[in-house]
């Protein structure tokens, strides 16, 4: 029988309180219980109370010995695992004096598009068993392809069977340049704290998340252009870009299908469909036919390679595609039965300027196809695209003049073959920004539907369209628009939709849409775990929210939308601008996606390893060199252990081969005399491949003693932060920080530090934190982790043989031996403390100061090296500052600076022009001539060599045994000092331009220090 509120008061009498002698009513009792639970001491979940804020009891009833409690929607705003549900039942059972197993807990959702019956709490529970059960509701469509859309043939490591092999994921990183209703291009969000959300989310997705997923074996479909190279070359059977070539060999005929037309179009109109304007060629599988695409590469650099074809069930599922690049040849097999008339990414490769079929081409062959069955099979060919390019979408007849990667998904998806009627919702209302804003988020959510096709095709009458036949496992939308707080962190918010655009609670293929909640729960959990273990124990978890947003409700595959943090909130961005945080949070999301997919398929996931450390390369006799490294353990993941390694080799440090698989952390190879050879190493296991180690190399010459090049520059960090009672913000003039390879997402320096400055509009008055825009269509170079390459090239040009090692290998004696000269790379290394000025919520209690220029172990070994007669060349921007006054400076570091390096004092920011002149007082340096160092504003990201900016160069007061070897051209202050045992540069040698001056500098230092050089 149903209990009235009066009866409920009796049920809850075990914990009822009295006020002024009167019994509390039901709402008061419920509020008292919830408040007590949230404030209990020693809670299992100190930051995630069982009852989220605003939770209320709406109804209760008892019947047949069971108690039924209906709560409002807020009870569903936290993640629920089986253990938490048991805890809630136990708590309520104790308080109510009933059997916990006799409780039925339900959650009621509001009316409207989310309307459905009261939902049992059990539906909200995430577990491997629950996910597998929901997945089993599939009634149509295969869960995976027999052959992946793209698969590497010559991959050196084992297949990632416990990773994401053959899975297809769609990732959409937030917003981008969009055509505004007032007839102009602009970002969808405002420029704050040196970035803008339209670009900021790329700094997670592009360098970290997407490569992690691909290293696990997945095929990743990005809703936005991934390649930041603004050059673009298209080679097509209907025409080519500039001086490129398209060659047919064997018998090819025109297929009965449409395709791409010609080279790069000058502009793409509002409703143009580029993949339906041209033709496609075909050849019989097994024939001797092949096609060769030879691009004219306009500049040396790293280029994406996309291929396209016309899909058909009669096509081969294993067409070989070989990319010829500077590192050799890399072969893939593509499944042409699906994913036609769109750009399919093969990967990123190094190419040289010009058109060279041997070192820059794509070959598609019909001869080496794996034939199946007795029916004839076909190979189709269309266009091949190199590079990301500049945007050429022309809404209103106007192009943006911005890189394509900076534009909104709506334009890239149009360029990628999305059909206008099914994807872009032509009749979208204007709204506050204009119809293009709405078309953008509709396009992102409909893209996975179009990839899937019937019965999961686009909404609005297109669900039965054929689509591209790609079984998409999930769709992830990544945003950072989570709010503002002056008191601490905003933290993470996850969104999913249990009902779709038509009010259904199942996907068209029969699976439960509660899978979206499972995905959101796993992501939220992994982000919180990583943030709380590695950065701050008080990282905020806002809630997991069931909302009918277009990006979550319109997609017909399991979907989650991340609001990772608040890009508007200063304290969030103290972490959010740090590349270490970006890597770790991206890894957390990768792990969540892997665990979700593994649960849907019923296998045990294995997490890919972290990059190896302690890499060293040493010549050990004859032509033999030994490469050694260490595995990097992951304290958060026991399964992330390395089972093997891949050693990649390069002659120039840019373009690497396909690698050699080994099982031990040591490898010997033969290399040619008087030639430089570089290596990097990855770790592998059943979950996939790690990111690569930093680069090391070697050059040996008979009867010549090698020097040792040590890479001591591994720093990545966010910019400096300044604050007082009235002003606060990120000050790149003090220290811009160091990006991971590139500073993705940078728009410019902060110009509004006033805490009281209010938002007026997004475009030109966004208030506190407002930032300039001079960097938003270019990339600032960061730490490329290959500095030994620049120093190795200089050593080779100076005629010097060299071994090399990472600084941790030298300090920990992983590499041993004696060398007449150590060339130590300090770069922008600088002791970097955790974020300062953090409130109680968000305090960086898991972080320590990192990136000391020379730690105690390194200094001790270098002192011994000097005592034994060894010499030292040390170059970097913060050497003296770190040793004399840095956060980790002490008497020992100051003594080292004085006695070993000859530094008595220093001054930062000693030059504005970065020009350096030789000093007449030190032989070997006096004839060098003028040089410059550091990047100049305006250099393009594709121009080689690209060097880092050097925001601060040091000048030294030389000790009594040292002399001034170089001076700054503008200030006349010492830029380098030289003693009998050491030469110290106040700027990074690897940033010297022109490149030839690096060799001159190294050669002059070696000669001054008495290191023998070949005649």
């Amino acid at each position: 029988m149903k209990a009235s509120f009066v009866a409920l008061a009796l049920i809850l009498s075990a914990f009822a309180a009295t006020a002024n002698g009167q019994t509390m009513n039901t709402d008061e009792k419920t509020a008292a219980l919830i408040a007590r639970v949230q404030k209990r001491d020693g809670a299992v979940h100190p930051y995630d109370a069982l009852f989220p804020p605003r939770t209320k009891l709406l109804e209760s009833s008892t019947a047949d010995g069971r108690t039924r409690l209906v709560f409002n929607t807020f009870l569903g705003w936290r993640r629920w695992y089986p253990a938490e549900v048991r805890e809630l039942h136990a708590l309520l059972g104790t308080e109510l004096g009933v059997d916990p197993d006799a409780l039925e807990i339900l959650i009621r959702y509001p009316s409207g598009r989310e309307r459905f019956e009261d939902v049992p709490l059990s539906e909200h529970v995430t577990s491997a068993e629950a996910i597998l059960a929901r997945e089993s509701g599939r009634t149509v469509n295969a869960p995976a392809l027999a052959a992946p859309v793209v698969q590497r043939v010559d991959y050196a490591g084992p297949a990632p069977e416990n990773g994401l092999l053959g899975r297809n994921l769609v990732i959409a990183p937030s917003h981008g340049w969009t055509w505004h209703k007032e007839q102009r291009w602009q970002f969808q969000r405002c420029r704050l704290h040196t970035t803008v959300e339209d670009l900021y989310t790329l700094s997670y997705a592009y360098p970290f998340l997407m490569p992690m997923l691909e290293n696990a074996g997945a095929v990743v479909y990005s809703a936005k252009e991934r390649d930041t190279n603004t050059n673009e070359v298209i080679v097509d059977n209907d025409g080519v870009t500039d001086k490129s070539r398209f060659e047919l060999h064997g018998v090819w005929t025109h297929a009965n299908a449409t395709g791409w037309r010609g080279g790069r179009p000058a502009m793409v109109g509002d409703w143009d469909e580029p993949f339906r304007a041209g033709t496609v060629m075909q050849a019989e599988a097994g024939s001797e036919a092949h096609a060769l695409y030879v691009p004219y590469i306009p500049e040396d650099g790293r280029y994406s390679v996309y291929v396209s074809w016309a899909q058909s069930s009669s096509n081969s599922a294993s067409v070989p595609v070989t990319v010829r690049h500077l590192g050799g040849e890399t072969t893939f097999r593509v499944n042409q039965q699906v994913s036609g008339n769109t750009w399919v990414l093969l990967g990123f490769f190094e190419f040289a300027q010009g058109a060279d079929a041997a070192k820059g081409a794509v070959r598609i062959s019909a001869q080496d196809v794996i034939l199946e069955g007795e029916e004839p099979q076909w190979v189709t060919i269309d266009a091949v695209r190199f590079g990301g390019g500049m945007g050429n979408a022309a809404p209103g007849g106007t192009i943006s003049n911005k890189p394509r990667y900076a534009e909104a998904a709506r334009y890239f998806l149009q360029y990628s073959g999305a059909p206008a009627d099914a994807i872009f919702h032509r009749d979208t209302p204007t709204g506050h920004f204009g119809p293009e804003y709405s078309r953008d988020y509709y396009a992102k959510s409909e893209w996975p539907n179009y990839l899937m096709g019937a019965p999961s095709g686009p909404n609005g009458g297109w669900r039965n369209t054929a689509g591209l036949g790609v079984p998409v496992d999930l769709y992830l939308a990544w945003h950072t628009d989570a709010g503002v707080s002056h008191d601490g962190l905003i933290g993470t918010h996850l969104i999913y939709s249990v009902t779709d655009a038509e009010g259904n609670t199942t996907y068209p293929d029969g699976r439960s849409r509660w899978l979206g909640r499972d995905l959101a729960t796993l992501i939220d959990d992994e982000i919180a775990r990583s943030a709380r273990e590695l950065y701050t124990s008080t990282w905020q978890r806002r809630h997991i929210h069931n909302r009918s947003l277009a990006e979550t409700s319109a997609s017909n595959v399991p979907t989650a939308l991340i609001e990772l943090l608040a890009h508007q909130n200063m304290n969030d961005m103290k972490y959010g601008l740090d590349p270490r945080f970006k890597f770790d949070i991206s890894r957390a999301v990768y792990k969540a996606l892997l665990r979700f997919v593994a649960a849907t398929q019923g296998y045990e996931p294995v997490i890919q390893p972290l990059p190896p450390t302690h890499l060293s390369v040493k010549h050990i006799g004859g032509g033999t060199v030994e490469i050694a490294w260490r595995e990097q353990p992951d304290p958060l993941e026991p399964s992330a252990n390395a089972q093997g390694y891949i050693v990649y080799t390069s002659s120039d440090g840019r373009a690497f081969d396909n690698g050699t698989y080994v099982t031990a952390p040591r490898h010997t190879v033969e290399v040619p005399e008087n030639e430089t050879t570089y290596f990097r190493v990855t770790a592998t296991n059943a979950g996939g491949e790690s990111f690569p180690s930093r680069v090391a190399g070697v050059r040996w010459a008979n009867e010549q003693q090698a020097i040792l090049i040590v890479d001591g520059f591994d720093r990545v960090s966010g910019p400096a932060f300044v604050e007082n009672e009235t002003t606060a913000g990120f000050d790149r003039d003090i220290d811009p920080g160091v990006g991971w390879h590139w500073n993705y997402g940078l728009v410019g320096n902060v110009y509004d530090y006033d805490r009281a400055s209010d938002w007026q509009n997004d475009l030109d008055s966004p208030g506190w934190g407002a930032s300039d825009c001079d960097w938003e269509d270019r990339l600032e170079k960061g730490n490329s982790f290959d500095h030994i390459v620049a120093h190795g090239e200089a050593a080779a040009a100076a005629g010097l043989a060299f071994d090399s090692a990472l600084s941790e290998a030298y300090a920990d004696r992983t590499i041993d031996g004696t060398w007449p000269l150590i060339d130590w790379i300090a770069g922008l290394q600088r002791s970097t403390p955790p974020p300062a000025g953090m409130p109680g919520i968000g305090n960086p209690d898991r972080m320590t100061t990192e990136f000391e220029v020379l730690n105690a172990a390194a200094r001790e070994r270098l002192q011994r090296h000097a005592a034994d007669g060894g010499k030292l060349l040390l170059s970097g921007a913060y050497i003296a500052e770190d040793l004399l006054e840095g956060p980790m400076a002490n008497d020992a570091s100051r003594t080292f600076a004085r006695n070993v390096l000859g530094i008595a004092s220093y001054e930062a920011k000693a030059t504005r022009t970065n020009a350096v002149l030789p000093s007449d007082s030190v032989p070997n340096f006096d004839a060098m001539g003028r040089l410059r160092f550091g990047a100049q504003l305006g250099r393009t990201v594709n121009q080689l060599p690209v060097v880092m900016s050097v925001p601060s160069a040091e000048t030294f007061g030389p000790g009594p045994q040292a002399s001034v070897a170089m001076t700054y051209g503008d200030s006349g202050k010492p830029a380098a000092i030289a003693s009998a045992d050491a030469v110290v540069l106040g700027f990074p040698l690897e940033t010297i331009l022109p490149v030839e001056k690096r060799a001159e500098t190294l050669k002059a230092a070696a000669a001054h220090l008495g290191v023998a050089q070949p005649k």
Side-chain angles (χ1 to χ4, degrees):
M1 62 182 230
K2 289 212 170 191
S4 65
F5 283 158
V6 175
L8 179 59
L10 296 175
I11 294 173
L12 301 179
S13 61
F15 61 90
T18 59
N20 298 322
Q22 296 183 1
T23 303
M24 299 173 63
N25 64 34
T26 303
D27 288 343
E28 291 170 333
K29 294 170 187 174
T30 305
L33 169 62
I34 293 171
R36 195 166 78 237
V37 170
Q38 290 176 333
K39 294 179 181 178
R40 60 187 171 155
D41 294 330
V44 176
H45 306 284
Y47 310 110
D48 299 287
L50 288 174
F51 292 98
R54 294 187 283 173
T55 299
K56 291 183 179 180
L57 181 66
L58 301 178
E59 291 181 8
S60 67
S61 62
T62 59
D64 301 326
R66 296 186 63 80
T67 300
R68 182 177 184 270
L69 303 176
V70 181
F71 290 88
N72 65 355
T73 183
F74 296 103
L75 190 63
W77 278 23
R78 59 152 293 159
R79 80 283 181 278
W80 289 102
Y81 289 109
E84 285 76 16
V85 173
R86 289 192 295 270
E87 184 180 358
L88 180 62
H89 275 257
L91 171 71
L92 290 172
T94 299
E95 298 289 354
L96 297 174
V98 299
D99 181 358
D101 295 334
L103 281 173
E104 183 181 6
I105 303 173
L106 300 101
I107 299 174
R108 178 170 297 165
Y109 286 86
S111 60
R113 293 179 66 186
E114 294 181 347
R115 181 175 181 81
F116 46 91
E117 298 299 322
D118 294 342
V119 179
L121 179 63
S122 58
E123 284 280 13
H124 298 73
V125 177
T126 293
S127 66
E129 294 76 16
I131 293 173
L132 189 59
R134 289 170 183 139
E135 176 72 17
S136 66
R138 185 194 296 269
T139 57
V140 293
N141 289 351
L145 295 167
V149 178
V150 178
Q151 188 169 14
R152 277 273 304 272
V153 172
D154 45 20
Y155 177 61
E161 299 289 349
N162 294 82
L164 291 166
L165 183 63
R167 316 314 302 188
N168 304 289
L169 314 180
V170 179
I171 310 296
S174 73
H175 311 286
W177 278 98
T178 305
W179 184 246
H180 192 272
K181 66 181 180 181
E182 295 179 3
Q183 305 299 296
R184 65 171 182 262
W185 284 91
Q186 72 173 71
F187 280 131
Q188 295 182 23
R189 295 293 185 267
C190 52
R191 302 173 181 91
L192 290 171
H193 303 310
T194 77
T195 189
V196 62
E197 185 185 6
D198 304 57
L199 297 179
Y200 175 64
T201 53
L202 306 185
S203 68
Y204 294 82
Y206 289 179
F208 301 127
L209 177 61
M210 292 181 183
M212 289 173 184
L213 297 171
E214 289 166 338
N215 286 355
V219 174
V220 177
Y221 289 86
S222 175
K224 293 175 67 175
E225 174 61 62
R226 279 181 65 178
D227 192 353
T228 56
N229 189 330
T230 54
N231 290 313
E232 180 183 25
V233 179
I234 298 178
V235 184
D236 180 45
N237 62 290
D238 292 319
V240 301
T241 300
D242 297 331
K243 296 173 273 188
S244 305
R245 302 197 311 272
F246 173 73
E247 301 176 5
L248 288 177
H249 302 266
V251 179
W252 293 89
T253 60
H254 281 283
N256 184 24
T258 60
W260 188 269
R261 183 176 181 178
R264 182 186 188 277
M267 63 172 55
V268 178
D270 279 348
W271 308 111
D272 289 350
E273 296 183 331
F275 271 101
R276 288 162 181 82
T279 66
V280 176
M281 307 292 289
Q282 66 180 10
E284 187 169 354
S287 71
E288 295 184 357
H290 72 269
L292 191 65
Y293 298 77
V294 184
Y296 179 82
I297 299 297
E299 290 181 294
D300 291 4
R302 176 179 179 265
Y303 289 73
S304 57
V305 176
Y306 293 89
V307 295
S308 63
W309 57 80
Q311 74 185 58
S312 169
S313 59
S314 62
N315 282 353
S316 169
S318 62
V319 176
V321 180
T322 298
V323 180
R324 299 173 183 169
H325 53 96
L326 292 180
E329 294 188 354
T330 303
T331 300
F332 303 82
R333 288 194 180 274
V334 300
N335 184 344
Q336 291 195 346
Q337 294 177 358
V338 297
S339 203
N341 288 118
T342 189
W343 299 118
V344 177
L345 178 67
L346 298 181
F348 292 83
F349 304 90
E350 292 284 342
F351 296 102
Q353 184 181 25
D356 184 345
K359 295 181 179 179
V362 170
R363 185 181 189 272
I364 303 177
S365 172
Q367 184 173 13
D368 300 321
V369 166
I370 300 175
L371 298 173
E372 296 179 357
E374 297 181 358
E375 295 294 323
Q377 291 181 303
W378 297 91
V379 171
T380 64
I381 56 172
D382 194 11
V384 176
R385 182 162 73 95
F386 303 80
M390 296 291 289
N392 53 0
T398 305
I399 61 174
S400 69
N401 291 312
K402 298 294 182 181
R404 184 174 289 117
Y405 73 83
E407 290 187 343
R410 182 257 192 269
Y411 309 110
F412 175 66
L413 295 178
Q414 180 182 10
Y415 203 62
S416 298
D421 290 331
I423 296 294
F424 299 121
H425 295 231
R426 290 182 191 238
D427 298 328
T428 297
T430 298
H432 79 286
F433 194 99
E436 291 292 273
Y437 176 84
S438 301
R439 288 174 186 140
D440 181 38
Y441 60 70
Y442 275 122
K444 287 184 284 190
S445 55
E446 297 287 15
W447 180 240
N449 301 339
Y450 178 66
L451 288 171
M452 289 274 288
S456 302
N459 300 291
W462 299 91
R463 285 193 172 179
N464 288 320
T465 191
L468 301 189
V470 178
V472 176
D473 290 275
L474 59 87
Y475 168 61
L476 177 69
W478 195 312
H479 294 265
T480 58
D481 201 1
V484 177
S485 169
H486 297 293
D487 300 321
L489 295 175
I490 293 292
T492 305
H493 176 198
L494 268 293
I495 298 172
Y496 64 99
S497 294
V498 172
T499 52
D500 67 9
E502 299 179 3
N504 302 308
T505 58
T506 57
Y507 298 111
D509 61 12
R511 292 178 294 166
S512 169
R513 288 187 65 92
W514 285 98
L515 285 167
R517 179 184 168 92
D518 294 325
L519 177 59
T521 296
L522 293 173
I523 293 170
D524 184 62
D525 227 23
E526 291 293 345
I527 289 174
R529 184 164 72 105
S530 292
R532 291 177 177 178
E533 290 292 328
L534 302 175
Y535 294 91
T536 171
S537 61
T538 52
W539 181 261
Q540 294 294 88
R541 305 175 71 162
R542 296 178 66 202
H543 48 255
I544 302 175
H545 197 177
N546 175 33
R547 294 183 62 191
S548 289
L549 300 180
E551 281 195 78
T552 53
S553 63
S555 57
N556 295 327
V557 296
T559 298
L561 186 152
I562 301 174
E563 294 284 7
L564 174 65
L565 46 71
H567 64 264
Q568 313 98 315
N569 196 56
M570 175 188 72
N571 287 316
D572 288 60
M573 294 307 284
K574 288 179 181 178
Y575 294 110
L577 293 177
D578 190 330
R580 293 169 292 178
F581 180 82
K582 295 177 182 181
F583 175 92
D584 289 319
I585 294 303
S586 299
R587 185 168 167 86
V589 175
Y590 140 71
K591 291 187 290 187
L593 304 191
L594 168 59
R595 289 192 164 110
F596 175 80
V597 171
T600 66
Q601 305 306 310
Y603 65 89
E604 185 65 29
V606 172
I607 306 301
Q608 63 191 219
L610 289 170
T613 62
H614 292 74
L615 182 65
S616 64
V617 185
K618 182 181 179 182
H619 177 232
I620 58 175
T624 305
V625 300
E626 181 179 63
I627 312 155
W629 59 91
R630 286 187 191 174
E631 177 183 2
Q632 181 180 181
D634 184 342
L636 301 182
E637 293 298 336
S639 73
N641 295 326
Q643 297 173 338
Y645 306 91
I646 302 177
V647 179
Y648 293 94
T649 305
S650 170
S651 61
D652 64 3
R654 290 172 47 215
F656 286 83
D657 66 7
N658 292 319
T660 300
Y661 181 73
V662 299
T663 56
R666 193 172 295 273
H667 183 55
T668 58
V669 296
E670 299 294 314
V671 300
E673 185 178 10
N674 291 322
E675 294 184 17
T676 54
T677 308
Y678 300 97
F679 304 92
R680 65 185 185 193
V681 182
T682 61
T684 68
N685 62 16
E689 185 177 8
S690 75
F691 276 29
S693 68
R694 288 141 68 195
V695 177
V698 70
R699 179 179 185 268
W700 69 276
N702 194 28
E703 298 183 355
Q704 183 184 356
Q705 188 175 8
I707 68 170
L708 178 67
I709 302 175
V710 178
D711 184 0
F713 175 30
D714 63 349
R715 176 186 173 218
V716 291
S717 70
F721 186 80
V722 295
E723 66 179 326
N724 56 43
E725 292 184 358
T726 59
T727 63
F730 299 95
D731 192 337
R732 284 173 41 85
D733 288 333
I734 294 175
D735 182 1
V738 183
W740 184 296
H741 288 278
W742 301 98
N743 193 354
Y744 294 89
L746 174 66
V747 297
N749 292 355
V750 174
Y751 64 81
D752 189 342
Y753 288 86
D754 185 356
R755 290 179 183 269
S757 182
D758 292 329
W759 175 92
Q760 297 181 40
N761 61 69
D762 283 351
L763 189 59
D764 51 26
S765 298
W768 179 28
S771 302
D772 292 322
C773 60
D774 50 336
W775 273 101
E776 65 191 19
D777 55 358
R778 294 174 293 119
L779 293 182
E780 179 183 65
K781 184 174 173 59
N783 193 335
S784 55
F785 309 106
D786 61 355
H787 317 293
I788 287 174
V789 175
H791 285 244
E793 290 174 347
L800 295 169
F802 67 90
D803 300 328
S804 65
L806 306 186
S807 55
E808 64 267 23
Y810 181 81
D812 294 351
R813 294 189 175 276
T814 300
I815 184 172
D816 215 343
T818 59
W819 298 269
L821 172 65
I822 293 178
D823 172 14
W824 192 286
I825 304 166
L828 303 183
Q829 194 79 350
R830 181 185 203 178
S831 294
T832 306
M838 297 293 281
I841 297 177
N843 195 306
D845 53 347
R846 303 298 195 196
M847 299 180 70
T848 60
T849 299
E850 293 188 65
F851 309 123
E852 189 177 8
V853 164
L854 292 168
N855 63 25
R859 294 197 305 269
E860 180 182 354
R861 192 171 181 195
L862 287 173
Q863 283 177 308
R864 187 167 301 175
H865 165 78
D868 292 338
K871 310 299 182 181
L872 177 63
L873 168 62
L874 180 59
S875 63
Y878 303 106
I879 296 167
E881 173 191 312
D882 214 55
L883 291 170
L884 297 177
E885 296 182 358
M888 304 186 77
N890 53 33
D891 289 343
S893 67
R894 286 185 277 270
T895 299
F896 179 89
R898 182 175 59 253
N899 294 347
V900 177
L901 303 182
I903 298 173
S905 63
Y906 86 100
E907 180 184 330
K909 295 187 178 296
T911 178
R912 291 175 178 266
T913 63
N914 292 6
V916 176
L917 300 174
S919 170
D920 294 335
S921 61
V922 179
N924 300 302
F925 286 92
D926 54 358
M928 279 185 52
R930 185 185 181 92
L931 61 85
R932 287 185 177 271
F933 62 89
Q936 303 298 312
L937 193 66
R939 291 182 67 87
T940 67
V941 298
N942 302 312
Q943 186 175 352
L944 293 176
V946 182
V947 298
M948 300 177 298
S949 297
V950 180
S952 176
E954 292 184 319
T955 184
F956 310 113
Q961 304 302 318
S963 302
V964 176
M966 294 177 169
T967 60
Y968 293 114
D970 52 350
S971 66
K973 297 177 180 179
I977 59 173
S979 66
D981 299 319
V983 172
V984 186
L985 309 184
F987 55 90
L989 182 145
E990 63 273 14
T991 68
I992 291 176
L993 293 173
V995 171
E996 295 76 16
K997 291 293 183 181
R998 300 175 191 170
E1000 288 185 35
T1001 304
L1002 179 56
K1003 189 172 184 177
H1008 169 79
L1009 295 169
V1011 176
Q1013 299 175 59
K1015 296 181 180 179

